[in-house]
């Protein structure tokens, strides 16, 4: 290690001794001129010796120039071409910085120029699959959630509010590189209210490098929003109206002003979604609380109304050519009111009958504030240092009122737990507050033309408190139920450091290697007594390696390895309790262990076709919705649990087909062998199975700026924990009209046009739990009753801006709040 640090310090001390010419092109107003051409010419014969293009901030740099006499020629579409006076470079004075250079706009320039380039819908890179959303005809009529549902290998489970990638949970979701540390239910609602019109691409990152936080054993999903390039005042507007079982509406707007040195930006989105879903279940179990063995029939209807507000704003300022600072604040307010109707019949052996009718009114509110500041300093060419500091505050409240009856066939109160065990009137409450502070420092240096080094440190401190319980109305007085009350305090500190190298051996061969070390201490205490129930320390190295070799212009081979971790979400660790029915409750699990994952991937690419094979090993993966004893052992607790391991051997391919100039197709497939061991039950087992996910799209372009798309996806049957999930999928269609003169677009789309979103679950089919449960559940999403139809209008206006927003140092904390 000492030798490595000594070599690194020598490398960091190396200074580029080659001659260099630099500067920055700006307009009269001081705005940058991006993507302009800069030519270095010999004064003797005006021969072009070297060239460069300006960056998004108007900067250019030409290196490795010999001593001599030169001049610069500057040109860009819409600007007057300019030649600068001759200058000299010598071995002593080998650097020339022109500073800001003004380019005059042409008086007779074109008012509007449209440049359109089509990208393939799917692209395979060394560590990720990229979905180019703009290449999807239906993107403007879809939400971000619908785009994810149609992405290869992504499974959105709205029953359990879960996200899986390539058959694995523990997936982190990022927006512009910033992880969304919010409850998954709220995350899905936010993505459902986010217009895909604002999305450039979605990255499915299966083997992230060391520069990314190690959290996310199942991989990362990064949603990249569109970034406009031109300076000035700009904005966009998108309006969506729709209907399924209930009304849908989304309105979003953005505005920004970019002068070249100051960037002000803000956005607001409101979404409203009235929905409906239902499920039915039948089976058997042995529950002492109702008197022993019983068969049951259960019917549920869930009617939520979600209203979400998302407001953000910020400023970036370039104090000098080398120093940039900025800050932003985001606020999200989400309210969900819901009605749940439950009916159940319990037949007790030999001939007793119990009838349950329940009505649950729920009201939940979630508020989230994120503040961030950053500073970036360019020390010299190819060398910079970046500082980030974030503070996150989450406040979640959930209240329920239960009105129910639980009677035997004679109309008497049922149950053996006393007169208050199944009170007709109950109320539940849950309060969770989470505070997170993050500080991060990163350093990057270009050691040479071929080698770059990056390093950094980060510290995170989290405090979380959770209070929940259920009360019963007995003789006009609310009385708490001690067996379902919880008061929990969690503190966690994480320190991390990483080092990575990237080397381009030659134009066809590259290697990136890195290592990240993270140390975490998690303490969980009873809020009433202050005694610790958990005091866990974990320190681990997380190496990564990426190799790419172009065999020729048509063929490329890629290999990668990474090690990851998924820490339990703060909500999963909380011992909250929420009412489900008289004998079962949802709760968390303070004893959850983190998941450690090793990923090994090989990929091969030929033109637009790609094939890859991924092997991964998860130790202690977390599965949701598992049945365990609770209370005094007679209540059914539905909670997350660790299983011992899971192995995955995954095959992935993407096949684009262009039939004609107006008809194109794309087919994707992700699937393979899965194996896991469940050992949290007394009757443990090992399960192996095959599963897959497939998707297709058919895109058509017609005269008159009309286009249409037919697409679909299907997830095969699979297993998780002690349950089997049947296959499910959907077919979608839509048509879009681009208005003339850049007046926007109008699009009509239909989701699940064949009404196939039915998911069937078989619980307890692999081994016996404490209640000998056998349950068969059939879930119907909203679109099963009526397809979801949406009409969308979207338009951009004004100039556009160059975004310079930094990735928050708190990115990996947000997704742990679920």
């Amino acid at each position: 290690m000492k030798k490595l640090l000594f070599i690194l310090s020598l490398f960091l001390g190396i200074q580029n001794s080659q001659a260099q010419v630099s500067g920055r092109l700006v307009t009269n107003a001081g705005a940058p001129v991006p993507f302009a051409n800069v030519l270095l010419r010999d004064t003797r014969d005006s021969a072009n010796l070297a060239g460069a293009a300006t960056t998004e901030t108007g900067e250019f740099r030409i290196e490795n120039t010999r001593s001599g006499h030169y001049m610069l020629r500057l040109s860009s579409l819409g600007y007057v071409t300019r030649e600068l006076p001759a200058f000299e470079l010598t071995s002593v004075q080998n650097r020339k910085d022109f500073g800001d250079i003004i380019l005059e706009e042409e008086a007779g320039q074109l008012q509007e120029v449209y440049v359109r380039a089509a990208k393939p819908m799917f692209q395979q890179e060394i560590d990720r699959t990229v979905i180019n959303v703009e290449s999807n005809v239906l993107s403007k009529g879809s939400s971000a959630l619908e785009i994810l549902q149609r992405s290869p290998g992504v499974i959105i489970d709205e029953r359990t509010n879960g996200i899986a990638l390539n058959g694995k949970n523990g997936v982190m979701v990022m927006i512009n590189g910033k992880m969304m540390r919010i409850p998954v239910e709220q995350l899905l609602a936010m993505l459902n209210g986010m217009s895909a019109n604002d999305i450039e691409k979605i990255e499915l990152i299966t083997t992230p490098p060391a520069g990314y936080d190690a959290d996310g054993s199942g991989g990362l999903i990064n949603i990249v929003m569109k970034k406009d390039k031109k300076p000035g005042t700009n904005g966009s507007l998108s309006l969506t109206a729709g209907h399924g079982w209930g009304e849908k509406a989304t309105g979003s707007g953005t505005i920004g002003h970019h002068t070249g040195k100051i960037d002000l930006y803000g956005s607001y989105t409101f979404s409203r979604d009235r929905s409906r879903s239902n499920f039915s279940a039948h089976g058997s179990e042995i529950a002492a609380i109702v008197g022993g063995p019983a068969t049951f029939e259960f019917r549920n209807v869930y009617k939520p109304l979600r209203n979400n507000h998302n407001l953000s704003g910020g400023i970036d300022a370039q104090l000098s050519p080398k120093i940039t600072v900025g800050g932003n604040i985001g606020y999200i307010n989400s309210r969900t009111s819901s009605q749940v109707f439950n009916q159940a019949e319990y037949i007790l052996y030999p001939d007793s009958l119990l009838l349950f009718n329940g009505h649950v009114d729920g009201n939940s509110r979630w508020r989230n504030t994120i503040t961030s500041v950053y500073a970036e300093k360019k020390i010299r060419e190819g060398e910079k240092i970046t500082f980030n500091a974030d503070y996150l505050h989450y406040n979640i409240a959930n209240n329920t009122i239960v009105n129910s009856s639980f009677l035997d066939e004679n109309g008497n109160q049922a149950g053996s737990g006393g007169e208050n065990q199944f009170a007709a009137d109950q109320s539940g409450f849950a309060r969770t507050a989470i505070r997170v502070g993050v500080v991060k420092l990163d350093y990057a240096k270009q050691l040479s033309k071929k080698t770059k080094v990056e390093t950094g440190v980060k510290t995170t401190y989290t405090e979380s408190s959770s209070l929940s319980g259920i009360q019963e109305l007995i003789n006009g007085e609310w009385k708490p139920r001690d067996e379902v009350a919880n008061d929990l305090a969690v503190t966690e500190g994480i320190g991390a450091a990483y080092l990575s190298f990237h080397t381009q051996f030659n134009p066809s061969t590259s290697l990136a290697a890195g290592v990240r070390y993270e140390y975490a201490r998690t303490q969980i205490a009873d809020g009433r007594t202050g005694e610790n129930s958990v005091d866990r320390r974990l320190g681990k190295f997380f190496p990564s390696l990426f190799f790419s070799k172009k065999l020729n212009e048509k063929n490329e081979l890629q290999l990668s390895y990474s090690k990851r971790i998924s820490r339990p979400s703060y909500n999963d660790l909380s011992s909250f309790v929420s009412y489900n029915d008289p004998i079962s409750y949802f709760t968390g699990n303070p004893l959850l262990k983190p998941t450690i994952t090793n990923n090994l991937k090989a990929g091969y690419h030929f033109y637009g076709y790609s094939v890859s094979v991924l092997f991964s090993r998860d130790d202690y993966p977390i599965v949701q919705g598992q049945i365990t004893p609770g209370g005094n052992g007679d209540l059914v607790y539905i909670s997350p649990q660790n299983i011992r391991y899971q192995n995955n051997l995954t095959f992935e391919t993407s096949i684009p087909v262009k039939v004609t100039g107006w008809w194109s197709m794309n087919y994707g497939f992700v699937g393979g062998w899965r194996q896991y061991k469940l050992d949290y039950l007394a009757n443990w087992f090992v399960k192996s199975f095959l599963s897959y996910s497939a998707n297709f799209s058919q895109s058509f372009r017609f005269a008159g700026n009309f286009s249409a798309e037919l697409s679909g996806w299907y997830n095969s049957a699979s297993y998780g924990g002690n349950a089997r999930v049947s296959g499910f999928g959907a077919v979608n269609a839509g048509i879009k009209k681009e208005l003339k003169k850049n007046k926007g677009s109008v699009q009509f789309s239909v989701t699940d046009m064949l009404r196939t979103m039915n998911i069937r679950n078989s619980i307890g089919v692999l081994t016996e739990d404490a209640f000998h449960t056998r349950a068969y559940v059939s879930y119907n999403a909203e679109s099963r009753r009526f397809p979801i139809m949406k009409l969308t209008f979207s338009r951009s206006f004004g100039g556009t801006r160059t975004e310079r927003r930094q990735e928050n140092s708190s990115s990996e904390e947000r997704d742990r709040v679920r």
Side-chain angles (χ1 to χ4, degrees), residues 30 35 45 184 186 223 307 310 328 347 381 483 505 532 559 578 669 684 688 706-707 743 760 805:
F35 313 118
D45 55 8
V184 174
Q186 301 294 338
I223 301 173
N307 290 292
N310 190 331
N328 58 73
I347 301 176
E381 171 60 21
E483 77 275 18
F505 295 106
N532 282 349
L559 300 172
S578 63
F669 177 89
W684 62 269
S688 300
F706 280 95
S707 56
K743 298 297 183 181
R760 296 182 301 278
R805 304 181 199 179

Side-chain angles (χ1 to χ4, degrees), residues 382 444-448 450-454 500-503:
K445 181 177 177 62
Q446 192 75 38
L447 300 179
S448 66
K450 295 183 177 182
T451 303
K452 180 180 180 180
V453 64
E454 294 179 325
S500 65
F501 290 88
H502 181 275
T503 299

Side-chain angles (χ1 to χ4, degrees), residues 311-385:
L311 181 66
S312 65
I315 181 173
D316 295 326
Q318 188 168 5
L319 304 182
S320 71
K322 292 186 176 181
I323 300 177
T324 302
V325 298
N328 58 73
I329 184 170
Y331 176 74
I332 300 176
N333 188 319
S334 176
R335 287 181 178 268
T336 300
S337 59
S338 62
Q339 291 182 316
V340 180
F341 302 91
N342 293 326
Q343 290 182 325
E345 298 177 0
Y346 298 89
I347 301 176
L348 304 180
Y349 298 105
D351 57 2
S352 298
L353 174 66
L354 302 179
L355 301 175
F356 171 74
N357 281 279
H359 179 199
V360 183
D361 287 319
N363 193 330
S364 65
R365 183 177 182 181
W366 166 70
R367 290 173 292 177
N368 170 29
T369 303
I370 304 172
T371 55
S372 306
V373 294
Y374 79 92
E376 179 181 285
K377 177 178 175 58
K378 296 181 180 178
I379 301 174
R380 55 182 62 86
E381 171 60 21
E383 185 179 8
K384 69 177 182 180
I385 188 169

Side-chain angles (χ1 to χ4, degrees), residues 231-253:
T233 302
N234 60 91
S236 65
L237 176 68
S238 178
L239 300 172
T240 298
H243 205 279
W245 178 85
E247 73 273 11
K248 323 285 179 188
T250 303
S252 63

Side-chain angles (χ1 to χ4, degrees), residues 561-614:
Y561 166 78
S562 67
K563 187 175 183 177
R564 309 285 297 166
I565 186 173
S566 272
R567 298 180 177 89
S569 72
Y570 303 128
N571 298 66
D572 284 345
L573 288 171
S574 299
S575 294
F576 70 92
V577 176
S578 63
Y579 184 91
N580 183 51
D581 64 25
I583 65 174
S584 64
Y585 299 83
F586 292 101
T587 184
N589 182 359
L591 301 180
L592 284 176
K593 299 177 182 179
T595 303
I596 303 296
T597 299
N598 288 275
N599 297 301
L600 182 62
K601 184 177 181 180
Y604 174 74
H605 308 287
F606 177 77
Y607 282 115
Y609 304 96
S610 65
V611 176
S612 62
V613 177
L614 171 68

Side-chain angles (χ1 to χ4, degrees), residues 693-704:
S693 174
N695 68 311
F696 77 91
S697 65
Q698 306 273 338
S699 301
F700 309 91
R701 299 188 180 274
F702 307 113

Side-chain angles (χ1 to χ4, degrees), residues 381-400:
E381 171 60 21
E383 185 179 8
K384 69 177 182 180
I385 188 169
T386 306
F387 170 81
N388 288 268
D390 298 339
Y391 177 73
L392 299 82
H393 185 208
Y394 300 93
N395 195 304
I396 305 167
N398 185 21
N399 298 311
T400 56

